[in-house]
Amino acid sequence: MPLTPAQEKLVNHLFSFVTEHLTGPKPAVFTLYGDAGTGKSVVLAHLFNQIQTATRTQPTSPLAGTTNYFLVNHPEILKVYREIAGHQSHLFKKDFQRPTSLINQLAQGKTTADVLVIDEAHLLLSQADHYNNFYGENQLTALLQSAKVVVVVFDETQVLRMKSYWTERRLEALVAPFPHQAYRLTHQFRMRASDDLVAWINAFTHQDLRPLPSSGGPEYDLRVFDDAEEMRRAIVARNQEVGLSRIVSTSGYPSTLDGGKHDIVEGRFRLPWDQYNYTQTPWAEIPQTINEVGSIYTCQGFDLNYVGIILGPPIGLSADGQLQVFLDRYTDVEAFKKRPDLTDPQQVRHVKQRLILNSINVLMKRGVRGLYIFAHDPQLRAYLRQRHA
């Protein structure tokens, strides 16, 4: 994807930051902040391409002979990057790694790391996770012990699990001892939606319920459905027309973590959750997944043409008409695993609510051309329909 002039300027600035800090006494950190769809990954991909081009084709570059990695803690996004690498002579598939895998390789002396570019840094583990073979306290801290320069993209509104609990304040405190810079991206590149609709989504995912705009804009199809099955049929039609259109849902339905196949049922609507994807093709690009319901674990970071979102049982209206999060209805048990550094019950409750709202933010911003909405809660469904004239 070509860069805008502003993005190109940013990539050049990042490249200069990398080369200037390669020989510093401490690792240097550049943080790129930005909401979903603001082009963070595009900037990172172009930066890493430039870094590896210099490393492997320019003998006089400060980067010549360095060992650099692009990290992402999301297996579906990793597949995309490795597929891209297969078509570039100066990018190798092994350049793209999961953080835990690289941390363990570094600890065993199997490799070194000069420059690390980290996509979706808000998914880095911020506590030990033995299930993922990470026994340290914080993945970013572990990586800073080995690298000379680290470039990360970060969005606290895309934090989805307790074990990856981050805030901007926590990140800033961690990088404060090191030479560091930051930049914030604000322009929405993914969604062709109006600013009014983007503002509505941002407000909604902060429990600020406003009247839904009557339109998503001249290039964006915004619809609210009374019937989830009607929404599914509309998404199937869009998928037949332009491809990459899928149904997604928040948690609140039977879980998939027990290895079984569970259906989401809403009236006439019945489809199974997304199944574990053992292929090298991202979930949304597999034709058969039009007959599955995507989750945050298969859709985060991806562009869909049209997305139909089911707002599940944890999201509804209170008696006084306020948007409410029902924690007891959330079925993603992995998301809420306890942390030893979060003990205040009020704070824990706030963080859990934030994780649920973040999941809605991630899912609502998947669609380039359109957003279709169905709410499980009858009162919320009626509110959205009445105010979307």
Side-chain angles (χ1 to χ4, degrees):
M1 182 181 294
L3 297 174
T4 67
Q7 287 176 322
E8 186 173 359
K9 183 178 179 181
L10 176 58
V11 169
N12 291 336
H13 178 69
L14 287 165
F15 187 80
S16 297
F17 179 89
V18 168
T19 55
E20 289 168 8
H21 289 89
L22 272 174
T23 57
K26 288 185 176 182
V29 183
F30 197 109
T31 306
L32 196 59
Y33 294 104
D35 193 6
T38 52
K40 302 184 300 297
S41 296
V42 172
V43 168
L44 274 202
H46 279 267
L47 171 65
F48 192 67
N49 181 56
Q50 194 167 326
I51 288 171
Q52 295 301 75
T53 299
T55 298
R56 292 179 172 141
T57 68
Q58 299 172 11
T60 60
S61 169
L63 286 157
T66 55
T67 303
N68 314 306
Y69 291 97
F70 191 111
L71 302 181
V72 58
N73 213 5
H74 191 306
E76 293 294 299
I77 300 175
L78 184 61
K79 293 174 184 178
V80 175
Y81 284 123
R82 285 182 170 168
E83 171 64 20
I84 293 170
H87 301 285
Q88 301 286 341
S89 60
H90 50 275
L91 291 179
F92 303 157
K93 291 189 177 184
K94 69 180 180 65
D95 293 344
F96 298 86
Q97 298 279 344
R98 296 282 296 274
T100 299
S101 176
L102 182 64
I103 288 168
N104 291 337
Q105 290 177 56
L106 291 167
Q108 295 163 13
K110 294 181 178 179
T111 189
T112 58
D114 293 300
V115 182
L116 298 178
V117 174
I118 306 175
D119 197 7
E120 309 274 2
H122 40 267
L123 299 181
L124 289 174
L125 298 172
S126 52
Q127 68 172 19
D129 182 16
H130 297 179
Y131 178 79
N132 284 312
N133 298 315
F134 176 65
Y135 299 93
E137 294 183 0
N138 184 295
Q139 285 188 322
L140 184 54
T141 299
L143 293 167
L144 283 167
Q145 293 171 356
S146 300
K148 297 175 182 175
V149 185
V150 178
V151 179
V152 304
V153 299
F154 184 85
D155 176 12
E156 69 178 9
T157 67
Q158 294 195 64
V159 175
L160 301 172
R161 287 182 168 188
M162 282 287 204
K163 65 185 181 184
S164 303
Y165 175 59
W166 287 95
T167 63
E168 288 191 8
R169 182 176 296 180
R170 281 186 166 221
L171 178 63
E172 288 164 359
L174 191 149
V175 304
F178 306 101
H180 60 276
Q181 289 185 28
Y183 185 89
R184 191 174 297 274
L185 294 165
T186 57
H187 181 72
Q188 176 61 237
F189 284 99
R190 176 186 294 128
M191 301 171 68
R192 298 177 184 173
S194 65
D195 291 343
D196 285 346
L197 179 56
V198 174
W200 181 86
I201 294 173
N202 291 337
F204 185 91
T205 55
H206 285 82
Q207 288 184 273
D208 178 7
L209 189 58
R210 303 174 180 178
L212 188 62
S214 59
S215 166
E219 296 184 272
Y220 202 80
D221 187 11
L222 173 65
R223 304 189 199 180
V224 178
F225 288 81
D226 278 327
D227 184 335
E229 175 60 16
E230 286 185 14
M231 182 173 77
R232 184 196 69 82
R233 293 176 182 179
I235 287 293
V236 169
R238 300 293 85 74
N239 190 62
Q240 291 172 343
E241 292 167 5
V242 298
L244 283 179
S245 302
R246 294 292 184 272
I247 295 286
V248 303
S249 177
T250 67
S251 181
Y253 299 96
S255 171
T256 60
L257 294 177
D258 61 3
K261 188 174 181 179
H262 297 288
D263 287 343
I264 293 176
V265 180
E266 285 288 352
R268 300 185 298 153
F269 175 92
R270 178 187 289 268
L271 280 183
W273 276 113
D274 43 19
Q275 301 300 297
Y276 188 82
N277 179 11
Y278 292 97
T279 76
Q280 293 305 306
T281 304
W283 177 84
E285 296 178 9
I286 299 173
Q288 293 82 356
T289 59
I290 188 65
N291 296 316
E292 295 178 3
V293 178
S295 67
I296 51 176
Y297 303 119
T298 48
C299 295
Q300 185 173 23
F302 282 92
D303 292 1
L304 296 171
N305 283 317
Y306 293 86
V307 62
I309 181 173
I310 298 173
L311 298 173
I315 310 300
L317 288 189
S318 62
D320 59 353
Q322 301 299 309
L323 192 66
Q324 188 167 351
V325 178
F326 301 97
L327 295 180
D328 60 331
R329 301 177 186 175
Y330 206 61
T331 53
D332 183 358
V333 294
E334 278 292 307
F336 287 168
K337 284 192 172 179
K338 292 182 179 179
R339 297 180 58 104
D341 57 335
L342 292 180
T343 56
D344 177 24
Q346 187 173 352
Q347 183 187 17
V348 170
R349 179 177 176 81
H350 170 76
V351 172
K352 288 180 176 180
Q353 289 180 331
R354 186 68 258 152
L355 295 179
I356 293 174
L357 293 167
N358 284 353
S359 72
I360 298 172
N361 177 65
V362 167
L363 294 174
M364 279 192 172
K365 292 178 177 175
R366 292 306 97 202
V368 174
R369 302 185 185 195
L371 169 64
Y372 299 171
I373 304 173
F374 170 83
H376 166 87
D377 181 76
Q379 287 75 31
L380 178 57
R381 191 160 67 241
Y383 176 94
L384 295 173
R385 288 285 289 175
Q386 291 167 5
R387 286 155 178 80
H388 178 59

